[in-house]
Amino acid sequence: MTITGQDTDAVRALQGLEDGRSSVRLRAALAVGTTPDPRFVDKLIERCAIEPEFFVRDMLTWALTRHPVSMTLPGLLREVRSERTQARSQALHTLSKIGDRQAWPAITRTLLSDADDEVARSAWRAAVVLVPEGEESALATVLATQLGRGGRETQRSLSRALVALGEVMVPALLAATTAPDPRVRAHALATQRLLRDPDAGFESAIEEAKRVVALGGSGQEGR
């Protein structure tokens, strides 16, 4: 009887993940994470790729983190190569939450420079979490190639990733302060300020950097 009851609960939870009501999907994801079961893993990963609600996706990710890495990692690594942007983005987000460095080889330069900003941002966050000791400088060099891209949120995300790497990113950032593109220079200068003063705030840092660039400065005067 106990096994039958568990099977019934599993079927109900799996059906709940596809319910048209987001509140039901949220409760189903919570239930799955509360009582992990290998049978749920594929459905959770599949749902991550198409779930429209952010808070439900976040619960799906949490549910996946509750399962053994050996069960979740293979499917997530397949998803980072998916043609669906949400599948890539959410898989990368989940990998960053799991934090297992076995996933590091999947964080390719292609993903770090993905044309979709959400995918790229997820890749940057995952990379900072998963990068092996000794490879931080190489990662910083790749991340620095993305300076100046996107809107404020995208630029803020990249700055946070670079700052999280610490002093190893300074040479790549310094090189970017002399780039031909003023957006790249301003973004590099703003990130430099955030490294020196984490409490500065991105908005004030980027506005100050834009003024410096507009006046023809490099931000290195008097240093």
Side-chain angles (χ1 to χ4, degrees):
M1 291 295 292
T2 302
I3 294 176
T4 301
Q6 288 176 340
D7 287 345
T8 300
D9 290 344
V11 170
R12 188 181 297 117
L14 289 172
Q15 290 174 338
L17 291 174
E18 297 182 345
D19 195 276
R21 295 161 292 180
S22 60
S23 60
V24 174
R25 298 196 303 277
L26 182 67
R27 287 198 299 273
L30 175 60
V32 171
T34 302
T35 310
D37 186 316
R39 293 173 295 180
F40 294 134
V41 170
D42 287 345
K43 177 57 72 174
L44 289 170
I45 293 174
E46 175 186 314
R47 188 67 207 175
C48 281
I50 59 175
E51 171 55 51
E53 299 291 342
F54 169 78
F55 56 91
V56 179
R57 290 199 303 273
D58 225 34
M59 189 65 78
L60 292 168
T61 283
W62 173 78
L64 282 165
T65 67
R66 297 272 296 156
H67 291 78
V69 174
S70 60
M71 294 178 182
T72 58
L73 199 58
L76 291 170
L77 294 180
R78 285 194 300 271
E79 288 294 278
V80 299
R81 299 189 297 272
S82 172
E83 292 184 1
R84 288 182 174 181
T85 55
Q86 183 172 305
R88 297 199 301 278
S89 176
Q90 197 64 23
L92 287 162
H93 173 66
T94 305
L95 288 171
S96 74
K97 294 299 182 182
I98 292 172
D100 193 299
R101 285 181 170 171
Q102 291 181 84
W104 169 248
I107 311 300
T108 61
R109 190 180 187 117
T110 299
L111 283 173
L112 293 170
S113 59
D114 197 283
D116 184 89
D117 284 347
E118 282 303 313
V119 175
R121 290 170 64 186
S122 295
W124 301 337
R125 289 191 292 267
V128 169
V129 171
L130 301 174
V131 61
E133 187 175 349
E135 296 194 35
E136 296 91 347
S137 181
L139 173 59
T141 299
V142 176
L143 292 181
T145 67
Q146 302 302 297
L147 287 164
R149 74 172 278 178
R152 287 291 171 90
E153 283 306 311
T154 298
Q155 292 190 5
R156 182 183 286 109
S157 291
L158 182 59
S159 290
R160 284 175 177 166
L162 284 163
V163 169
L165 290 175
E167 294 293 330
V168 298
M169 63 87 161
V170 170
L173 209 57
L174 188 60
T177 62
T178 60
D181 188 336
R183 281 174 55 87
V184 173
R185 295 201 302 276
H187 194 183
L189 290 172
T191 307
Q192 276 187 333
R193 182 182 174 191
L194 290 174
L195 180 64
R196 296 193 307 270
D197 181 10
D199 296 325
F202 184 78
E203 286 298 323
S204 62
I206 193 69
E207 289 303 324
E208 177 187 324
K210 286 167 66 177
R211 286 193 293 272
V212 170
V213 170
L215 292 171
S218 67
Q220 310 304 315
E221 296 82 0
R223 295 177 187 277

